[in-house]
Amino acid sequence: MTEQVQLTITYEVVSSAQELTPQERQVLQLAQQATHNAYAPYSNFMVGAALLLADGSTHMGTNQENAAYPSGLCAERTLLFGVGSNYPQGKVEIMAVTARRRHEEHFVAACPCGACRQVIAEYQHRQQAPIRFLMQASDGKVVRFQSAGDLLPFTFTKDNL
Ligand code: THU
């Protein structure tokens, strides 16, 4: 017998950064600032990511491209691997990603790629506590996920090994 299953993904569309909590706003603003440090001479797509750890420290990352294209890395993974290397016990409470085109000031929608979602899921699984995730959307809106689990249903984790 075939059973049909419906999957529910929960997220909120926040109409402006003013409606975020002060901590969320701080992380989003850091991600926006970080876009200026992106190294994206090939795509011209400047991505900034930032996060807040439970110890109150904040950290930023950007996409880093390379003439050998696949050698480059997305902002989210640059950030998480750097934080994982320097704060292996760190618990990520809030993470944000934002983007803009090079030479333009306004922010555009930023949507983590599949590989980044897998890495974010790994960190959430590792810390056994949800990562609240903010995605820059168009027109100044922000999409908020209370758990990174909603970014990647059927996540492959170490429990699958
Ligand atoms: N990029 C990110 O940094 N994060 C994502 O989640 C999507 C894509 C970067 C990779 C590349 O440098 C540029 O955006 C265009 O794909």
Side-chain angles (χ1 to χ4, degrees):
M1 204 181 81
T2 305
E3 189 190 351
Q4 198 179 51
V5 181
Q6 282 194 335
L7 191 66
T8 304
I9 292 173
T10 305
Y11 62 90
E12 298 156 276
V13 181
V14 181
S15 59
S16 101
Q18 301 315 311
E19 290 176 32
L20 297 172
T21 68
Q23 281 186 327
E24 289 169 348
R25 198 158 46 239
Q26 182 196 10
V27 177
L28 181 75
Q29 284 171 353
L30 285 173
Q32 291 175 337
Q33 286 168 22
T35 61
H36 292 278
N37 297 339
Y39 177 60
Y42 305 106
S43 72
N44 292 320
F45 194 65
M46 313 284 276
V47 185
L51 60 79
L52 171 72
L53 290 182
D55 68 6
S57 64
T58 52
H59 306 274
M60 298 188 267
T62 62
N63 54 332
Q64 297 292 311
E65 297 186 351
N66 194 283
Y69 290 4
S71 300
L73 196 64
C74 293
E76 298 91 319
R77 278 176 288 161
T78 304
L79 172 62
L80 283 172
F81 293 157
V83 168
S85 300
N86 290 295
Y87 306 87
Q89 308 304 328
K91 272 197 175 182
V92 182
E93 290 191 338
I94 304 171
M95 180 169 171
V97 60
T98 183
R100 63 179 175 81
R101 298 200 178 84
R102 198 149 69 116
H103 309 305
E104 292 181 16
E105 283 307 309
H106 69 276
F107 295 101
V108 298
C111 195
C113 75
C116 286
R117 289 173 200 228
Q118 180 65 34
V119 170
I120 296 162
E122 179 85 18
Y123 280 76
Q124 175 166 296
H125 192 264
R126 178 181 177 187
Q127 70 182 30
Q128 292 293 300
I131 296 176
R132 202 182 320 158
F133 199 85
L134 305 174
M135 269 164 48
Q136 179 81 60
S138 51
D139 303 324
K141 292 185 184 142
V142 180
V143 176
R144 176 167 55 201
F145 294 82
Q146 296 294 346
S147 162
D150 282 325
L151 288 172
L152 188 63
F154 292 96
T155 306
F156 183 77
T157 71
K158 67 181 174 63
D159 298 342
N160 298 108
L161 290 173

